[in-house]
Amino acid sequence: MTDIHVTVPKEKWAPVDRGAQDAEFIAAPSLTYWQDVRQRMWRNKPAMASLAFIILLILAAIFGPMLTHHTYYDQDLKLSNIPPIFEVYKTEPTDASAQYMFLNSGNFKLYEVAENGEILGLVRAKRKDLMKKQHIYVFGDAEVRVDYSQLPATLVDGDGNAIESIGYRWNQTNWFGTDSLGRDVLVRQLYGARISLTVAFVAAMVNFFIGVFYGGIAGYFGGNVDNVMMRIVEIIATIPLTLYVILMMVVFQSGFLSIIIAIGSVFWVDMARIVRGQMLSLKNQDYVAAAKTMGASTKRILTRHLLPNTMGPILVTLTLLIPSAIFIESFMSFIGLGVSVPMASWGTLTAEAVETLRAYPHQLFFPAAAISLTMFAFNFLGDGLRDALDPRLRK
Amino acid sequence: MLNYLIKRILMMALTLFLIITLTFFLMHAIPGGPFTSEKMLAPEIEAALNAKYGLDKPIWQQYLSYLQGIITFDLGPSFKYPGVRVNDLIREGLPVTAQTGFLAMLCVVALGIPLGIVAALHQNKWQDTTIMAIATMGVAIPSYVLATIALYLFALQWQLVPTFGLDSWQGYILPVLALSGFWLSFIARLSRSSLLEVLGQDYMVTARAKGLHPQTILFKHGMRNALIPIVTVLGPVVANLLTGSFVIEQIFALPGIGRHFVLSISNRDYTTIMGITIFYAAFLMLMILIVDLLYMVLDPRIKLGEKAQ
Amino acid sequence: MSSAPLLKVDNLTTHFHTSRGDVQAVRGVSFDVKPGEILGIVGESGSGKSITCLSILGLLKANGEVVDGSADFEGKQLTGLSDKQLRTIRGDDIAMIFQDPMTSLNPTLTVGEQLIETIVAHKPVSRGEARKRALELFELVKIPSAASRLDNYPHEFSGGMRQRVMIAMALTCDPKLLIADEPTTALDVTIQRQILLLLKDLQEKLGMAIILITHDLGVIAEVADRILVMYGGMVMETGDVYDVFESPQHPYTTGLLHSIPDVRSHTKQRLTPIPGSPPDMLRPPEGCPFAPRCPHAIQQCLEAMPPLFERPNAKPTVHEARCWLHHEEAPKALQSIFDAPEVSNG
Ligand SMILES: Nc1ncnc2c1ncn2[C@@H]1O[C@H](COP(=O)(O)OP(=O)(O)OP(=O)(O)O)[C@@H](O)[C@H]1O
Ligand code: SF4
Ligand SMILES: [Mg+2]
């Protein structure tokens, strides 16, 4: 602490020259609410990574299927259940060029591949020795046997020696492999993303409008209107939404449109409640009263005063509604009530993978990862948004 | 209190009635009778079947007799299994669904809340980060994915537990885990944020300023208040455990009500769909009533019959 | 005046560690409280009044830390005590009541229970005896039909009644020092007076010392013996209430006196709030914290922190002010702003 007898230089006794600058402006510049929100969002790494993931996913879902000749329905039973990564073996007949192949250990089939992992086709066995449990293939003067007398099956040459492996290769024909009907998993994944995202977004939008409309009316008018409307919501909320969706799917029969209608028509309850609550609390605030006394019309009060202030909670509810919609859609598809074959959704893909779980467990990986990562991303985004919008965290 | 209970029960009865009516007419709005859908039955046989189940009568008569049945706790015959009544299906599946459901609920409450407390009390320390990382995975991974992965790893790959059935106690592990996974994580996250919110309240400073023991402060003042929002979601948790059991029972091949329900859907067994829906609705309303009563005990600000906003 | 101080706070410095840096909420505050006196602390929002008191009792949030200084209560160094040792003092020797009686009482426990738990935490009494004591306290703070009110929940009381409950709760163990942090701010004007008079009355009856934090200089004028004017986490002026009000020696105090309807002249006067806003405590100004808003600021004010200068006092209490204009070399012309017995530019 400064001593009271410290000498103060003469010139320091001059008054401070503030010029035009007013005391008001000396305080640190304060950000507007939305600038502040954006800044906090930007600093939230998981939320931004999630946003990037979601954007990438949307782009992939839109453009991915256009970039490949594979379709989600083309079947090729000769090339079924091929994994995305396989070990390539090499045999060198003396009278022909080197042969590369891989063994599908799930069905003991042998496929001819290029050295880089491109699939050339299924190889027909020359002979099947059921006693020794061997399939015998012949390439020029070289012989290759699939020996499944002991599992997992192995590749041996005519003398029973193991065939030389040149290591693992990424499947160049079907990057994610094929399913039990020989369809390309990657393209089906991308179509699955299309379905899941479309259902989720459309359903979320429908819910958003119904919810805002319903909750807005109830909250705005209050009184008896509110009472009756909220009673109805209470009754609806008694039953789990999944049950409603199931009943509707039973009535409408499964299909893409039905599931959008089913999900779209039941998830607005939360939204309606939030909008109503916000509306009620905002309605009593001074600035709305002020706008009213100044003769602003109902519509103007709604659009200019109430909605902008309700935006925060609505946005958060919406981002959290999307993952629930994605989940419900995949759930319904999983139990066989969603989109119908041959259309693919992440739920049906998972269900298909479950059927082949014992032989080809890897098929579970892609749909499981896709839906989980997407749910992650939306959850992180929703959480981040909620934190960013929380006025109590504002500094 | 009694008045309130009576009012609530009447309200429940009304809601149930609406749900019965709605499901009844929804099911009857489906084009074609239950016997027209798949197999091409001879018209006379179909007529005979319709007559047997009373489907030839006018719809309002069918409705009334259905209502009549429900009053006597009779949910009618199954359309698909001759001679089997929906009541039988429910009675048969109930023990399995109730056991797994109860255990899952126990997991949610007895693990979720303590984990949330630990995380809140160690905010931003490793305990918090670990618990929240797992809980975040728990809410992101759908129950059926979790169930399938668990089934593959623990039952098929490592053979630690049976793949299906509830013959041994190990059989319960995976279904209960998969069923409770999401809500366990959800409750852990909710408990954490709720407790953190309460810890920041003025009355917690008051409690400290009074020189109370930290344990008293945490449990008597902190947890009691933090539990209120947790209790409000317990109703929906029960509901969602029920619907969750649809897939879990399917994946683990458990003979519960959920499996009957899913089967009845693919069989288009309308009376069974209707019956189980109504059974669930009634059960859930009972649970919600219990949760509300619990809620009132915890929060004295809630007057009987009206919820504070 | 010769009696030893009950509480002696010396150079108390408190920081909050946040993601954006350290918030220097309290910066070297020193004062003392003598037994049985009422010390008023005034200052704008954010000036560090509450944090000063919370630091004394070790009630800071997890991110707060007393980084320097000490608080000595009856010879015990409060700032060095463990939480366990502090617990025996909190609510017993030193009690505290807070601004908002709506949020400071636990909504899920009956008020009786909240009193009783405090009593049994400090005194070796049964719950029955504690309840009897709680009832006495309710009567002491003039809660009507006290016996039946013990089993009510906080939401069943009006704001004024809740503050009475808070006061009763603070008095459970006959504290030697009561810290009242804006006890009337959240209440209606008429209720404010009642609560204030009750506090004054109780203080006279029970003989405890009170630290009364408030925004309201009128309140201080009415009940306090001494006053501490805080700004930017520091003491700006301190002295006997009479001295400070009659001849404020700091431009901030002058500003505060302007910003209330005049309590001294009892004439109707226009409210003139001090323009500008308090400093950002993340990066407080190097010099006088008030300089950016001070109408009399000089170059020196921006560059160096003014020390506390002793000022003439009519009352026995020391009168000090933290303003460069009291420096011995200051031109007389500048000092003249403090000369006028009345606030000049009204
Ligand atoms: N937990 C915290 N983290 C960071 N900064 C804090 C925290 N608590 C208080 N502060 C800061 O400390 C400073 C002093 O706060 P304090 O509560 O003491 O002000 P006050 O004078 O009591 O104001 P009021 O009249 O509004 O009660 C403020 O700038 C405030 O922002
Ligand atoms: S030190 Fe300077 S800026 Fe501070 S109060 Fe005095 S004159 Fe004003
Ligand atoms: Mg304060």
Side-chain angles (χ1 to χ4, degrees):
Chain A
M1 205 58 50
T2 336
D3 175 39
I4 57 167
H5 299 298
V6 67
T7 27
V8 177
K10 270 262 147 39
E11 70 277 8
K12 301 289 185 203
W13 292 107
V16 172
D17 178 26
R18 290 221 169 88
Q21 140 196 70
D22 198 11
E24 232 87 14
F25 287 101
I26 292 169
S30 70
L31 301 169
T32 71
Y33 178 60
W34 288 107
Q35 277 174 323
D36 198 42
V37 167
R38 203 172 333 147
Q39 213 185 62
R40 251 181 302 143
M41 216 37 216
W42 194 244
R43 256 184 271 140
N44 186 336
K45 290 286 170 317
M48 290 324 286
S50 302
L51 188 62
F53 175 83
I54 291 166
I55 292 173
L56 272 180
L57 184 71
I58 292 174
L59 291 179
I62 295 174
F63 298 110
M66 298 176 187
L67 298 178
T68 157
H69 61 276
H70 294 294
T71 63
Y72 69 88
Y73 47 82
D74 264 350
Q75 304 180 1
D76 185 351
L77 290 173
K78 275 191 293 194
L79 297 179
S80 62
N81 292 321
I82 296 194
I85 292 172
F86 39 70
E87 191 170 15
V88 173
Y89 296 90
K90 183 182 181 185
T91 175
E92 283 173 297
T94 46
D95 55 345
S97 54
Q99 280 289 332
Y100 298 94
M101 66 210 121
F102 91 90
L103 168 66
N104 194 345
S105 56
N107 55 10
F108 312 141
K109 284 182 181 160
L110 194 69
Y111 297 88
E112 187 183 353
V113 296
E115 196 180 351
N116 66 355
E118 198 179 327
I119 294 184
L120 302 175
L122 182 69
V123 194
R124 293 215 147 274
K126 200 104 224 137
R127 258 179 321 116
K128 291 192 177 174
D129 186 338
L130 296 180
M131 293 304 295
K132 280 167 121 181
K133 295 198 173 170
Q134 285 186 340
H135 294 174
I136 296 130
Y137 299 81
V138 175
F139 300 99
D141 60 358
E143 193 181 272
V144 172
R145 291 163 180 247
V146 172
D147 179 357
Y148 57 98
S149 55
Q150 264 170 350
L151 293 182
T154 48
L155 276 184
V156 292
D157 63 14
D159 308 324
N161 302 319
I163 298 235
E164 177 196 3
S165 153
I166 63 162
Y168 283 90
R169 290 287 182 276
W170 191 279
N171 185 336
Q172 291 302 313
T173 310
N174 308 95
W175 284 350
F176 284 11
T178 61
D179 67 5
S180 57
L181 296 176
R183 294 172 297 201
D184 184 63
V185 170
L186 175 58
V187 140
R188 284 179 66 73
Q189 281 290 324
L190 291 173
Y191 270 94
R194 273 190 184 183
I195 303 253
S196 297
L197 290 177
T198 316
V199 170
F201 280 112
V202 175
M205 276 348 258
V206 173
N207 285 309
F208 168 73
F209 283 113
I210 302 179
V212 168
F213 194 68
Y214 194 98
I217 289 181
Y220 189 78
F221 291 105
N224 275 336
V225 177
D226 179 42
N227 263 340
V228 172
M229 290 177 83
M230 281 303 117
R231 263 295 128 77
I232 295 173
V233 161
E234 242 171 67
I235 290 177
I236 294 175
T238 317
I239 303 289
L241 299 179
T242 321
L243 214 52
Y244 279 116
V245 177
I246 288 178
L247 287 184
M248 285 208 202
M249 293 307 290
V250 171
V251 176
F252 293 147
Q253 318 293 338
S254 37
F256 182 59
L257 207 62
S258 330
I259 195 147
I260 287 188
I261 297 174
I263 296 179
S265 53
V266 299
F267 265 80
W268 51 270
V269 170
D270 280 342
M271 186 71 81
R273 278 189 174 150
I274 284 165
V275 173
R276 167 185 172 268
Q278 288 285 319
M279 205 65 125
L280 280 180
S281 71
L282 285 170
K283 212 172 68 172
N284 300 322
Q285 277 169 20
D286 296 341
Y287 64 96
V288 176
K292 237 180 189 163
T293 47
M294 281 160 59
S297 71
T298 302
K299 185 180 152 213
R300 197 182 154 76
I301 293 175
L302 268 178
T303 55
R304 278 296 160 80
H305 295 275
L306 290 181
L307 276 184
N309 283 290
T310 341
M311 230 30 235
I314 289 179
L315 214 61
V316 174
T317 320
L318 202 63
T319 30
L320 293 176
L321 206 148
I322 290 174
S324 341
I326 292 181
F327 170 72
I328 289 288
E329 183 277 322
S330 70
F331 181 94
M332 300 306 292
S333 298
F334 185 84
I335 60 175
L337 276 177
V339 299
S340 32
V341 284
M343 260 207 250
S345 112
W346 286 337
T348 51
L349 290 175
T350 315
E352 284 166 14
V354 169
E355 280 166 26
T356 53
L357 190 64
R358 279 160 205 271
Y360 309 103
H362 68 262
Q363 291 185 355
L364 180 64
F365 177 78
F366 292 106
I371 184 146
S372 300
L373 284 177
T374 310
M375 300 281 288
F376 255 123
F378 277 106
N379 274 310
F380 275 133
L381 190 64
D383 284 353
L385 216 51
R386 188 184 47 211
D387 291 348
L389 288 165
D390 191 343
R392 277 172 307 175
L393 295 175
R394 219 179 151 201
K395 255 317 306 172
Chain B
M1 184 72 184
L2 198 67
N3 265 345
Y4 170 70
L5 260 179
I6 292 171
K7 220 173 110 190
R8 276 300 302 267
I9 290 170
L10 283 180
M11 189 67 198
M12 272 170 58
L14 175 71
T15 309
L16 199 58
F17 169 75
L18 288 176
I19 288 165
I20 293 168
T21 311
L22 195 76
T23 28
F24 181 87
F25 286 103
L26 267 181
M27 288 301 120
H28 284 81
I30 299 169
F35 306 111
T36 36
S37 38
E38 306 129 41
K39 296 164 258 169
M40 294 304 283
L41 288 175
E44 14 344 323
I45 297 179
E46 196 186 329
L49 275 173
N50 278 345
K52 184 178 167 211
Y53 290 110
L55 295 174
D56 51 345
K57 298 206 192 92
I59 182 112
W60 61 268
Q61 257 186 22
Q62 294 182 35
Y63 175 59
L64 283 185
S65 62
Y66 191 66
L67 278 186
Q68 208 176 6
I70 283 180
I71 290 171
T72 57
F73 296 103
D74 179 8
L75 294 168
S78 156
F79 279 170
K80 277 292 129 75
Y81 307 110
V84 175
R85 303 197 69 80
V86 178
N87 283 20
D88 302 332
L89 290 176
I90 292 178
R91 200 172 308 124
E92 188 190 302
L94 190 60
V96 168
T97 305
Q99 276 169 19
T100 44
F102 176 77
L103 287 174
M105 193 68 197
L106 204 66
C107 273
V108 168
V109 173
L111 284 175
I113 297 176
L115 284 174
I117 297 178
V118 171
L121 292 183
H122 298 92
Q123 196 188 0
N124 298 333
K125 309 242 172 63
W126 67 265
Q127 296 94 329
D128 183 28
T129 334
T130 319
I131 292 173
M132 281 307 110
I134 295 171
T136 309
M137 286 206 294
V139 288
I141 300 176
S143 56
Y144 64 86
V145 173
L146 186 67
T148 337
I149 294 176
L151 180 72
Y152 173 69
L153 288 181
F154 296 106
L156 292 178
Q157 195 73 355
W158 301 326
Q159 305 190 344
L160 298 173
V161 291
T163 49
F164 61 87
L166 296 173
D167 303 325
S168 60
W169 64 269
Q170 289 100 327
Y172 283 94
I173 297 178
L174 292 188
V176 169
L177 176 84
L179 195 54
S180 59
F182 178 91
W183 291 102
L184 177 62
S185 314
F186 183 88
I187 291 288
R189 280 162 52 117
L190 182 66
S191 307
R192 173 183 182 271
S193 63
S194 174
L195 185 56
L196 280 179
E197 165 109 30
V198 167
L199 291 180
Q201 292 290 318
D202 289 349
Y203 55 78
M204 295 302 284
V205 184
T206 310
R208 288 171 68 203
K210 293 198 295 188
L212 300 180
H213 195 275
Q215 225 135 309
T216 315
I217 299 177
L218 175 62
F219 288 101
K220 190 166 165 188
H221 292 262
M223 268 327 286
R224 199 189 155 98
N225 282 288
L227 274 177
I228 293 171
I230 300 171
V231 166
T232 56
V233 300
L234 286 186
V237 170
V238 176
N240 284 285
L241 288 184
L242 268 187
T243 50
S245 68
F246 299 165
V247 281
I248 301 303
E249 289 179 2
Q250 187 175 321
I251 292 173
F252 294 99
L254 307 180
I257 304 182
R259 198 163 143 78
H260 283 310
F261 189 59
V262 175
L263 270 177
S264 67
I265 292 168
S266 42
N267 286 339
R268 314 232 154 247
D269 186 350
Y270 298 130
T271 41
T272 307
I273 299 179
M274 228 178 347
I276 294 183
T277 306
I278 290 163
F279 175 75
Y280 275 160
F283 174 73
L284 284 175
M285 271 185 283
L286 192 69
M287 290 324 271
I288 290 172
L289 182 68
I290 292 174
V291 165
D292 276 4
L293 292 178
L294 194 63
Y295 188 50
M296 281 183 326
V297 173
L298 274 178
D299 192 349
R301 282 167 300 186
I302 307 300
K303 294 231 182 67
L304 295 180
E306 53 186 81
K307 281 191 186 175
Q309 269 307 310
Chain C
M1 279 310 109
S2 52
S3 64
L6 187 64
L7 173 73
K8 190 168 170 48
V9 175
D10 189 32
N11 191 31
L12 189 73
T13 309
T14 300
H15 289 182
F16 285 101
H17 310 297
T18 71
S19 57
R20 299 173 59 196
D22 277 10
V23 177
Q24 306 176 24
V26 179
R27 302 191 287 161
V29 166
S30 306
F31 64 89
D32 48 47
V33 184
K34 297 179 185 67
E37 79 165 340
I38 299 186
L39 172 71
I41 303 184
V42 287
E44 277 173 297
S45 201
S47 54
K49 308 180 295 292
S50 302
I51 301 303
T52 303
C53 295
L54 293 175
S55 304
I56 295 169
L57 278 177
L59 291 175
L60 295 171
K61 295 260 158 66
N63 66 335
E65 188 194 353
V66 176
V67 292
D68 198 10
S70 61
D72 183 308
F73 181 78
E74 291 187 315
K76 274 174 285 198
Q77 278 296 331
L78 296 185
T79 41
L81 292 186
S82 70
D83 193 68
K84 196 171 168 187
Q85 290 164 314
L86 269 174
R87 258 183 5 238
T88 60
I89 294 175
R90 291 183 198 141
D92 193 2
D93 290 331
I94 307 179
M96 193 156 176
I97 54 182
F98 298 94
Q99 170 174 350
D100 194 345
M102 304 288 178
T103 57
S104 300
L105 286 167
N106 188 329
T108 55
L109 295 175
T110 63
V111 291
E113 175 57 31
Q114 297 188 51
L115 256 74
I116 292 167
E117 67 171 359
T118 319
I119 301 169
V120 295
H122 295 289
K123 299 269 184 289
V125 295
S126 70
R127 286 185 60 88
E129 289 165 316
R131 195 182 162 88
K132 233 177 269 152
R133 170 91 180 120
L135 189 60
E136 279 168 34
L137 286 161
F138 263 39
E139 278 156 4
L140 185 68
V141 297
K142 303 196 181 71
I143 292 176
S145 51
S148 63
R149 297 296 259 162
L150 273 181
D151 294 320
N152 285 11
Y153 288 96
H155 70 273
E156 294 166 301
F157 289 82
S158 69
M161 282 299 145
R162 280 188 226 189
Q163 199 57 292
R164 283 173 199 263
V165 172
M166 280 298 288
I167 294 171
M169 201 156 78
L171 298 179
T172 45
C173 299
D174 291 316
K176 296 183 181 122
L177 174 64
L178 175 67
I179 302 176
D181 189 351
E182 306 191 33
T184 59
T185 310
L187 305 175
D188 291 342
V189 187
T190 47
I191 314 282
Q192 285 188 1
R193 259 197 82 73
Q194 292 172 9
I195 295 291
L196 215 59
L197 293 178
L198 173 72
L199 271 178
K200 176 94 181 159
D201 185 43
L202 289 169
Q203 187 262 340
E204 275 160 14
K205 239 188 247 174
L206 307 172
M208 65 202 164
I210 296 183
I211 297 180
L212 179 65
I213 301 177
T214 174
H215 289 266
D216 189 344
L217 283 171
V219 167
I220 301 270
E222 198 156 347
V223 300
D225 301 313
R226 281 193 307 129
I227 179 171
L228 203 69
V229 179
M230 285 189 66
Y231 186 80
M234 306 180 100
V235 177
M236 289 291 121
E237 182 165 3
T238 170
D240 190 280
V241 168
Y242 176 86
D243 284 327
V244 174
F245 277 64
E246 276 312 306
S247 112
Q249 295 293 306
H250 195 281
Y252 178 62
T253 318
T254 318
L256 278 182
L257 287 168
H258 272 288
S259 67
I260 54 164
D262 199 314
V263 286
R264 294 169 306 152
S265 62
H266 301 286
T267 54
K268 279 236 150 69
Q269 195 179 356
R270 217 159 45 85
L271 234 78
T272 46
I274 311 169
S277 44
D280 178 4
M281 299 314 287
L282 269 171
R283 269 165 254 92
E286 221 171 287
C288 172
F290 189 53
R293 298 164 73 187
C294 179
H296 312 293
I298 52 171
Q299 287 301 332
Q300 175 74 3
C301 307
L302 298 180
E303 287 162 30
M305 180 67 71
L308 277 168
F309 292 93
E310 196 160 320
R311 303 305 302 153
N313 44 330
K315 298 283 174 177
T317 315
V318 200
H319 186 183
E320 289 175 314
R322 189 186 293 282
C323 175
W324 278 117
L325 302 187
H326 297 306
H327 191 267
E328 52 207 8
E329 293 162 20
K332 287 286 159 287
L334 290 179
Q335 288 189 341
S336 66
I337 58 154
F338 298 114
D339 292 346
E342 290 287 320
V343 179
S344 46
N345 53 336

